[in-house]
Amino acid sequence: MEKIFEVKNLSYTYRKNQVQALKDISFDVKKGEVFGILGPSGAGKSTTQKILIKLLKDFKGEIEYLGQPLNSFGNQFYEDVGVGFELPVHFSKLTGKENMEFFARLYKKHADIDDLLEKVGLLEDKDRMVGDYSKGMKMRLNFVRAMLNDPKILFLDEATNGLDPKNAYIIKQLIREFKHAGGTVILSTHLMNDVEELCDRIAFISGGVIREISTPRELKIRYGKRIVDVEYRLNGQTESETFDLEKIGENQKFLDILKNNQIETIHSGETSLDDIFIKVTGENIHEDA
Amino acid sequence: MKTLNVLIKGEFQRLLKYNIIQVGFGVSVLWLLVMFLIGRDEAREFVPLFIFMDASLMTVILIGAGLFYERQENTLKSMMTSPVGMHKIIISKLISAVYIALQSAIFIGLISIFFFNASLNFILLIGFILVIAITHAMIGYTFSVLVKDFPTLLALTMVYMIVFAFPSIFYALGIVGGALETLLIVSPSHASMLMIDFAFGAEISTGLIIGSVMYLGVVAFVLGRFLVFPLYVEKAIKE
Ligand SMILES: Nc1ncnc2c1ncn2[C@@H]1O[C@H](COP(=O)(O)OP(=O)(O)OP(=O)(O)O)[C@@H](O)[C@H]1O
Ligand SMILES: [Mg+2]
């Protein structure tokens, strides 16, 4: 499949405080896929995105965009790219609509602003000052901002951050639509749900290093385990035991417990990507989320 | 060209929405009131001073504050991921800065001609205001890219006023004497003051005026090229 980005041995150090945010990472992004960059806070997700969208230029290593060095592209690069930032990026004393109209005019191609506002549920609030929007509303406006130029590639940094489940669902739905229309998405997140629901491939990143690149399915097969937890009464006390779901019907201990004890609860489950994440990176993603 | 137009229109929309044009106009009206209060002859002498304050100090304050808020709102980052070049963004900002200064200079200038019979070379004044406003916009930008918070921005602006602007004003009012003049040569405020006085017909050698214009040009270029432009871009991206 055609490669949109090909990144080789990318390193980046913030000059100001000499923090090496990325250490020799390599990956590629293919046309039409949703590529997730997943990692704990401070892992280097935003840094990676800022480099790919040409905001940080003094990196080490090679980045090719559509087979050419990224640095050889001028400002026209942005005609095809939509960027959703992790923080609100609007003029607070302009209305939502005024903000979007201003940014839209900077491009050759335009999407229908009202249509986008309607999709994210902001049409009714389009004439209110953005300064009066809630955090979730600002984040939805960020998404509209990213889509203004009808982009081919969408960069989303924590796009569902601060959204309630309903609005997060709407944004995820729009990301899926974008993908089905042939778009490529690069999204960074620390939320496993997002990754599981949206991503074709994921790069696990922590401490500026890519620990693993994989698909959600592959990871679950590799690290995941299907299990049954049983709680039962034994000699007046509650005991619990975990069994492998494979061939459970031939597991004598499990069958004995079922036959001879009073069962309090039975749960089946599978290792979540959360657990896998901890295994892969050795870090807890929700530490400081 | 089309995007530059869009950027300039956007700047003006924001000058209005953020009440900067209104505040600028309000200050002009305030000067006007003062002029009518102090009487015709005195007022004529003070007009250059009012224009100076608007074109230099007000520019530093309004531009500094404007850019500071823009940094906080992260909007520059959003503009930088659009196809417009950074130079166009800066040009549009300078145009809005110059507009603010011109608005007040033209307003006060016209009033001083019609109500106070000031002898004023209007074309020259406008040309000078252009240079003064660009230089002071650069000074305002420099302050706003150097500081982290708003109180520090205000403090820095105050220091600038005390070190550069006030001595010039005192000198113009005759409060401090001629010995200071040699020191004042390095002050952008003083160069501005000389130029405005010259436009109002003061007897100042042409050489000194040309020197002043060139000096302001150099200050604007050096600040713009080596401080504002690089820091501006860096801060916009990394915050
Ligand atoms: N502007 C900056 N100046 C200096 N260091 C920075 C800057 N931005 C990020 N860093 C450092 O680079 C590293 C990676 O930061 P980055 O913002 O890429 O993390 P992230 O994965 O996006 O985290 P989060 O989930 O919190 O957004 C961190 O150690 C951070 O402290
Ligand atoms: Mg981040």
Side-chain angles (χ1 to χ4, degrees), chain B residues 8 11-12 15 20 54-56 58-60 62-64 90-104 129-130 132-138 140-141:
Chain B
I8 294 170
E11 285 293 328
F12 277 86
L15 285 180
I20 292 179
D54 263 11
S56 61
M58 282 303 286
T59 304
V60 172
L62 292 181
I63 291 303
I90 302 248
I91 289 173
S92 69
K93 292 202 173 304
L94 282 181
I95 288 176
S96 75
V98 167
Y99 170 81
I100 289 290
L102 277 182
Q103 167 190 287
S104 98
I129 294 293
L130 224 84
I132 295 169
I134 290 179
T135 306
H136 284 83
M138 284 302 176
Y141 287 148

Side-chain angles (χ1 to χ4, degrees), chain A residues 18-213:
Chain A
Q18 291 301 311
V19 168
Q20 195 181 359
L22 297 175
K23 299 167 190 158
D24 198 27
I25 66 172
S26 302
F27 62 94
D28 55 29
V29 179
K30 300 189 175 71
K31 188 170 193 296
E33 76 174 340
V34 179
F35 186 82
I37 302 173
L38 179 72
S41 187
K45 305 182 295 288
S46 299
T47 306
T48 308
Q49 290 224 0
K50 283 182 190 169
I51 291 172
L52 293 182
I53 56 176
K54 283 166 63 65
L55 281 181
L56 298 176
K57 291 181 177 132
D58 44 344
F59 58 83
K60 289 210 185 68
E62 284 167 49
I63 302 178
E64 286 192 349
Y65 172 64
L66 302 175
Q68 309 274 347
L70 182 63
N71 283 340
S72 69
F73 290 85
N75 287 326
Q76 296 313 306
F77 170 79
Y78 296 113
E79 293 284 3
D80 290 334
V81 168
V83 182
F85 287 99
E86 72 185 311
L87 294 171
V89 287
H90 312 105
F91 299 105
S92 56
K93 300 211 171 167
L94 267 55
T95 67
K97 177 93 188 245
E98 284 166 344
N99 265 285
M100 293 306 104
E101 278 171 342
F102 170 71
F103 286 110
R105 288 194 197 108
L106 303 176
Y107 296 89
K108 290 198 187 107
K109 263 185 308 174
H110 302 186
D112 183 334
I113 295 174
D114 280 351
D115 185 45
L116 285 170
L117 288 171
E118 164 132 55
K119 279 181 181 160
V120 302
L122 284 178
L123 194 60
E124 273 180 24
D125 300 292
K126 69 176 179 169
D127 295 323
R128 279 173 64 195
M129 278 211 294
V130 171
D132 296 338
Y133 278 18
S134 70
K135 167 130 198 279
M137 291 165 83
K138 287 178 187 164
M139 288 310 288
R140 282 181 276 153
L141 197 61
N142 263 14
F143 186 82
V144 174
R145 160 70 187 93
M147 297 290 288
L148 282 178
N149 55 329
D150 195 9
K152 296 195 177 104
I153 303 159
L154 195 53
F155 286 88
L156 298 173
D157 198 350
E158 312 275 359
T160 58
N161 206 358
L163 296 185
D164 59 54
K166 178 176 152 253
N167 283 308
Y169 175 81
I170 291 172
I171 296 290
K172 286 182 215 166
Q173 203 54 39
L174 289 171
I175 296 173
R176 278 184 213 112
E177 265 175 39
F178 179 80
K179 180 197 146 129
H180 284 135
T184 307
V185 184
I186 296 165
L187 67 86
S188 75
T189 181
H190 59 264
L191 299 175
M192 273 300 173
N193 270 342
D194 289 7
V195 166
E196 213 163 351
E197 292 170 34
L198 294 170
C199 295
D200 298 303
R201 288 194 305 144
I202 334 163
F204 275 109
I205 177 169
S206 78
V209 179
I210 291 187
R211 309 285 170 180
E212 168 126 29
I213 298 180

Side-chain angles (χ1 to χ4, degrees), chain A residues 12 15 50 55-56 75 78-79 83 85 88-94 98 102-103 105-107 145, chain B residues 2-3 6-7 10 13-14 17-18 73-75 77-85 234 237-238:
Chain A
Y12 188 83
R15 237 184 315 136
K50 283 182 190 169
L55 281 181
L56 298 176
N75 287 326
Y78 296 113
E79 293 284 3
V83 182
F85 287 99
V89 287
H90 312 105
F91 299 105
S92 56
K93 300 211 171 167
L94 267 55
E98 284 166 344
F102 170 71
F103 286 110
R105 288 194 197 108
L106 303 176
Y107 296 89
R145 160 70 187 93
Chain B
K2 188 197 147 243
T3 48
V6 173
L7 287 173
Q13 182 185 32
R14 273 168 269 142
K17 293 268 177 164
Y18 285 70
E73 293 182 336
N74 277 312
T75 44
K77 201 152 68 177
S78 183
M79 280 193 228
M80 288 175 70
T81 58
S82 79
V84 298
E234 183 171 317
I237 296 168
K238 296 193 174 168

